[in-house]
Amino acid sequence: MKIADRVKPISYLKAHAPEIIRGLSEGADPVVITLHGEARAVLQDVAQYEETQETLALLKVLALTNQQVEQGKVRPVSEAFQGIRERIKNQA
């Protein structure tokens, strides 16, 4: 479905909130809510939101990793695991 089909004014949300929420929980695409003709909010199912947040977190980790590789902040895996083992041993 095109996003243009999912743009609704806030008055529509007020009048059809249960229907919109039910649709979102059944897997419908997010709904863009407008106020005075301008997009102001996006409604989406909680599970879809959580999945989006997890994806963003993973992308941030990947971007940080790429940045560290470019800066030369890398070391052999054997050295990294040895450091972890030593920290665990010192905590015990």
Side-chain angles (χ1 to χ4, degrees):
M1 181 176 285
K2 296 187 298 184
I3 196 161
D5 297 334
R6 302 295 295 170
V7 176
K8 304 292 181 191
I10 196 160
S11 58
Y12 183 87
L13 172 63
K14 290 176 184 177
H16 299 92
E19 174 187 329
I20 292 172
I21 301 295
R22 198 174 314 108
L24 292 173
S25 67
E26 292 171 357
D29 291 332
V31 177
V32 177
I33 302 300
T34 62
L35 181 62
H36 304 296
E38 294 184 26
R40 293 292 182 185
V42 177
L43 294 176
Q44 70 181 130
D45 179 64
V46 171
Q48 196 176 38
Y49 174 79
E50 289 172 344
E51 183 178 324
T52 299
Q53 293 303 305
E54 289 172 6
T55 300
L56 287 174
L58 179 58
L59 289 172
K60 287 178 183 179
V61 168
L62 290 173
L64 179 60
T65 300
N66 285 338
Q67 182 182 18
Q68 290 176 336
V69 168
E70 289 172 2
Q71 294 172 354
K73 296 180 179 178
V74 295
R75 57 184 172 161
V77 70
S78 59
E79 184 180 315
F81 277 108
Q82 183 59 36
I84 293 169
R85 286 184 193 101
E86 288 175 13
R87 276 189 260 148
I88 291 172
K89 187 195 305 186
N90 291 336
Q91 290 178 353

